[in-house]
């Protein structure tokens, strides 16, 4: 039997003088039956797990959201409520990825497929150039050591060793990305056509290269947005360098000589190097759904509160079982629908505008929220707060103890995770106060790494105060068993009331980001 506690809490709250009549009516529009009706559709098998590339379920879900908020009277936040999001799918073409030495007659004399692009923006390249070995590519302003000194890098392929002379001598030290990126930047500034980082010969089993190779061979997705052209920055192994230098352990001896004498030894290769890197790519179209309740204050309506939830999930398992994602994140998706209805029903709208944002592709890399953060309806600096709902439909059961070691084990009927950043300390105070009024027990103790765990990150990184609301991880997380039969709609009602009240408080404050 479902817990009836929130009904009594609601009637108690509605009797308090802090609520105007229209606000009481707004809360009354949030009802369990409507939450269940919406979720029954969103989490149905017919939507095929709401994942890009798995039928048209995600598109159907977006259509349902658009139709529903249009009927509620929300204004479009984009044409037809749809903000188009393009995702770039990339897959390497293994047989067209190679590097080879070419003699003066244009004939390949050495060939290797052990080459990986370190810049994810690289698409497909094919070129042949003179090449130089530039030691470690290292500069030391104190001693005057400089592997690039008097070396013509313009238009050439430049091989540089991982680390520096000191690191090579001292086996207990290791290089870092910042140092490698610095010397790579220096090579490109000097006109290098490409930079090839060579792994340390002390990595006898090529563990670094093999780890990167496993990653590089996978199909990858990224947001398809205009960006700078990728740089020809690659990595290969010391075994490949041995071949180019004429034999086994030649590269180790070359670096040992440089390190032992602390003296650069850079030189041009006799043969040219031909380098090919090929990636097949295609654009996948998806969409964010955006509706707006316009604010009532002539000035403050140009600022906004953003309510957000991702409406995608994991698609269909190999055995045909559907990942319906009733909690993740059907629960957040339909809770936002009810909160949107509550705001749209207000006779007097809040001072600030309210943006309702359903984002695509959180499960694949938070692409929808990333795109919105680059193309917001209201500027990020005019966004008073982002309230992100991600998994708000479950209550603890003993079998959920599989997550006992996690700081985000699903809460009981009264508990709730309320994660904020440090942009506006007053937001947590508002959240805690409203939780107290509703009989909810907020947990503000999630580690800072959870700021990166969901779509709120793309607001956090842009300096927007965020409130991430969740009930936590349960035994059915990311499994086909995340079904509507396990949802607690009384708890969802409580969450909806809570986030509505927080948004109302923020939207009506004269000043935000103040205690």
């Amino acid at each position: 039997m479902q817990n009836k506690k929130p009904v009594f809490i609601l009637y108690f709250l509605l009797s308090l003088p802090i609520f105007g009549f229209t606000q009481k009516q707004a809360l009354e529009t949030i009802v369990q039956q409507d939450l269940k009706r919406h979720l029954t559709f969103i989490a149905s098998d017919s939507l095929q797990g709401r994942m890009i590339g798995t039928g048209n379920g995600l598109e159907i879900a977006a259509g349902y959201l658009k139709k529903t908020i249009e009927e509620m009277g929300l204004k479009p936040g984009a044409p037809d409520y749809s903000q188009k999001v393009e995702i770039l799918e990339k897959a390497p073409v293994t047989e067209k990825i190679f590097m080879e030495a070419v003699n003066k007659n244009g004939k390949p004399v050495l060939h290797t497929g052990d080459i990986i692009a370190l810049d994810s923006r690289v698409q497909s390249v094919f070129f042949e150039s003179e090449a130089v070995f530039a030691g470690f590519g290292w500069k030391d302003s104190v001693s005057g050591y400089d592997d690039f000194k008097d070396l013509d890098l313009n238009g050439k392929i430049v091989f540089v060793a991982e680390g520096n002379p000191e690191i090579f001598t001292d086996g207990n030290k290791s290089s870092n990305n910042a140092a490698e990126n610095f010397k790579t930047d220096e090579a490109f500034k000097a006109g290098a056509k490409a930079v090839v980082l060579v792994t340390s010969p002390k990595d006898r089993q090529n563990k670094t290269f093999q780890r990167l190779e496993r990653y590089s061979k996978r199909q990858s997705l990224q947001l398809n947005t205009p960006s700078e052209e990728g740089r020809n920055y690659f990595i290969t192994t010391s075994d490949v360098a041995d071949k180019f230098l004429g034999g086994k352990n030649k590269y180790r001896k070359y670096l040992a000589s440089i390190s032992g004498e602390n003296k650069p030894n850079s030189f041009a290769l006799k043969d040219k190097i031909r380098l090919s890197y090929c990636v097949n790519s295609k654009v996948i179209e998806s969409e964010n759904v955006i509706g707006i309740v316009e604010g009532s204050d002539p000035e403050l309506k140009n600022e906004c509160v953003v309510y957000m939830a991702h409406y995608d999930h994991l698609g269909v398992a190999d055995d045909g079982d559907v990942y319906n994602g009733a909690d993740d994140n059907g629960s957040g998706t339909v809770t936002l629908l009810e909160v949107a209805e509550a705001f749209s029903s207000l006779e007097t709208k809040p001072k600030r505008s309210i943006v309702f944002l359903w984002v695509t592709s959180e499960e694949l890399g938070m692409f929808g929220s990333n795109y919105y953060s680059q193309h917001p309806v209201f500027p990020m600096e005019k966004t008073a707060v982002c309230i992100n709902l991600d998994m708000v439909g479950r209550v603890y059961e003993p079998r959920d103890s599989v997550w006992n070691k996690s700081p985000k084990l699903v809460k009981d009927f009264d508990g709730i995770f309320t994660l904020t950043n440090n942009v506006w300390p007053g937001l947590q105070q508002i959240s805690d106060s409203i939780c107290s009024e509703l009989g909810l027990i907020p947990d503000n103790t999630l580690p800072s790494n959870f700021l990166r765990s969901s779509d709120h990150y793309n607001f956090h990184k842009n300096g927007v105060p965020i409130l991430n609301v969740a009930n936590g991880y349960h035994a059915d997380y990311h499994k086909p068993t995340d079904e509507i039969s396990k949802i607690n709609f009384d708890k969802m009602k409580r969450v909806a009331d809570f986030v509505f009240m927080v948004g109302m408080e923020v939207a009506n404050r004269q000043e935000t980001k103040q205690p």
Side-chain angles (χ1 to χ4, degrees):
M1 179 178 292
Q2 291 184 324
N3 196 314
K4 301 300 182 184
K5 185 176 180 180
V7 177
F8 296 112
I9 292 173
L10 178 59
Y11 283 132
F12 171 73
L13 285 170
L14 296 184
S15 68
L16 297 178
I18 59 171
F19 281 86
F21 179 70
T22 57
Q23 292 166 319
K24 296 176 185 179
Q25 287 184 319
L27 281 174
E28 290 175 343
T29 68
I30 302 173
V31 294
Q32 291 91 327
Q33 293 91 331
D34 285 347
L35 288 165
K36 186 173 183 178
R37 174 172 56 86
H38 291 311
L39 190 56
T40 298
F41 180 78
I42 291 294
S44 64
D45 283 354
S46 63
L47 267 65
Q48 303 163 292
R50 308 189 307 277
M51 183 180 183
I52 286 178
T54 305
N56 60 349
L58 191 63
E59 182 181 342
I60 293 171
Y64 182 88
L65 295 171
K66 289 185 286 187
K67 181 176 183 294
T68 304
I69 61 177
E70 181 180 19
E71 291 173 352
M72 291 177 182
L74 271 66
K75 294 185 176 181
D80 190 32
Y81 300 94
S82 177
Q83 182 182 57
K84 303 302 181 185
V85 178
E86 291 187 347
I87 297 169
L88 187 65
E89 180 183 84
K90 298 168 61 178
V93 184
T94 304
E95 64 272 17
K96 294 184 179 180
I97 296 177
F98 62 85
M99 183 169 57
E100 54 191 15
V102 182
N103 65 20
K104 62 181 181 181
N105 296 320
K107 181 180 178 180
V109 292
L110 289 170
H111 180 97
T112 180
D114 290 340
I115 184 79
I116 300 169
L118 291 177
D119 189 332
S120 63
R121 298 170 299 179
V122 170
Q123 297 296 315
S124 296
V125 296
F126 182 88
F127 54 84
E128 183 179 305
S129 302
E130 295 179 353
V132 296
F133 269 76
F136 295 92
W138 187 249
K139 289 185 178 183
D140 184 352
S141 59
V142 176
S143 66
Y145 179 99
D146 185 354
D147 280 318
F148 292 153
K149 186 177 181 181
D150 299 326
L151 189 64
D152 180 15
L153 305 184
N154 191 44
K156 295 182 172 61
I157 298 172
V158 182
F159 290 87
V160 295
E162 182 183 5
N164 60 41
E166 182 182 359
I167 289 173
F168 185 83
T169 302
D170 187 344
N172 294 321
K173 293 185 178 181
S174 60
S175 187
N176 58 63
N177 288 337
E180 300 301 341
N181 289 338
F182 175 77
K183 59 190 184 185
T184 301
D185 289 343
E186 291 296 300
F188 281 118
K189 286 179 184 177
K193 175 74 172 179
V195 175
V196 180
L197 181 67
V198 184
T199 59
S200 172
K202 295 184 178 182
D203 182 5
R204 296 180 184 275
Q205 296 179 335
N206 288 325
K207 291 182 179 179
T208 298
F209 185 84
Q210 289 175 7
R211 174 175 54 82
L212 292 170
E213 185 178 40
R214 285 193 297 270
Y215 179 81
S216 71
K217 287 182 177 179
R218 296 186 300 183
Q219 186 180 70
S220 65
L221 298 169
Q222 65 189 62
L223 199 61
N224 187 36
T225 55
S227 62
E228 295 180 6
E229 186 177 345
R231 299 193 301 182
N232 296 322
Y233 182 28
F234 303 91
I235 188 169
T236 192
T237 69
S238 59
D239 294 334
V240 172
D242 280 344
K243 294 177 182 178
F244 286 166
L245 293 180
K248 188 174 179 60
N249 288 325
K250 287 283 188 179
Y251 192 62
R252 175 189 285 272
K253 293 176 181 178
Y254 167 63
L255 298 181
S257 173
I258 294 174
S259 301
E261 300 176 11
N262 197 34
K263 181 179 179 181
N265 180 16
S266 302
F267 60 90
L269 284 179
K270 177 182 65 175
D271 296 323
K272 289 185 177 182
I273 297 295
R274 182 178 294 157
L275 197 153
S276 173
Y277 201 85
C278 183
V279 176
N280 281 341
S281 61
K282 68 176 181 178
V283 173
I284 304 172
E285 293 186 349
S286 191
E287 60 186 312
N288 295 330
V289 176
I290 310 174
I292 298 174
V293 174
E294 187 175 12
S296 58
D297 185 276
E299 295 296 328
L300 292 179
K301 71 178 183 180
N302 296 314
E303 301 178 13
C304 75
V305 170
V306 172
Y307 283 96
M308 177 173 60
H310 74 88
Y311 69 100
D312 64 303
H313 195 51
L314 299 178
V316 180
D318 292 339
D319 63 2
D321 207 351
V322 178
Y323 289 90
N324 289 312
D327 189 36
D328 184 15
N329 185 33
S331 61
T333 296
V334 304
T335 297
L336 251 61
L337 282 177
E338 286 295 280
V339 174
E341 183 177 10
F343 274 103
S344 66
S345 72
L346 290 169
E347 293 180 12
T348 302
K349 301 298 189 283
K351 294 178 181 179
R352 288 179 177 81
S353 296
I354 311 293
V355 175
F356 290 92
L357 171 63
W358 289 269
V359 291
T360 183
S361 305
E362 188 269 353
E363 301 288 2
L364 297 176
M366 300 187 289
F367 297 127
S369 58
N370 188 359
Y371 186 84
Y372 179 88
S373 72
Q374 298 176 42
H375 305 87
V377 175
F378 291 79
M380 283 288 157
E381 61 270 19
K382 295 291 185 180
T383 303
V385 66
C386 171
I387 301 173
N388 180 36
L389 277 64
D390 197 347
M391 298 175 61
V392 295
R394 294 289 291 269
V395 171
Y396 177 79
E397 301 175 12
R399 66 191 188 88
D400 296 325
S401 59
V402 65
W403 290 94
N404 273 346
K405 295 182 180 180
S406 169
K408 203 176 181 183
L409 173 65
V410 64
K411 292 294 187 181
D412 62 17
F413 188 71
D414 292 323
I416 190 170
F417 288 103
T418 52
L419 174 69
T420 58
N421 54 8
N422 58 4
V423 177
W424 177 26
L427 179 58
Q428 183 175 316
Q429 296 172 19
I430 292 171
S431 171
D432 288 349
S433 175
I434 292 174
C435 277
S436 179
E437 293 178 28
L438 292 174
L440 290 169
I441 302 172
D443 186 334
N444 304 316
T445 65
L446 286 177
S448 60
N449 62 290
F450 278 90
L451 290 170
R452 294 176 172 266
S453 67
S454 183
D455 289 299
H456 52 264
Y457 172 67
N458 286 307
F459 287 77
H460 165 70
K461 74 179 184 180
N462 282 285
V464 175
I466 63 100
L467 171 63
N468 173 224
V469 180
N471 286 342
Y473 298 137
H474 46 75
D476 304 298
Y477 173 64
H478 277 194
K479 294 181 179 179
T481 50
D482 182 6
E483 298 279 8
I484 191 170
S485 60
K486 298 171 183 175
I487 296 295
N488 188 304
F489 290 98
D490 284 340
K491 182 65 177 286
M492 283 179 65
K493 161 65 176 171
R494 299 183 78 186
V495 173
D497 288 350
F498 164 66
V499 296
F500 172 84
M501 293 166 66
V502 171
M504 278 290 290
E505 171 67 23
V506 174
N508 283 318
R509 289 174 70 98
Q510 194 62 34
E511 296 289 339
T512 59
K513 300 186 183 178
Q514 299 296 324

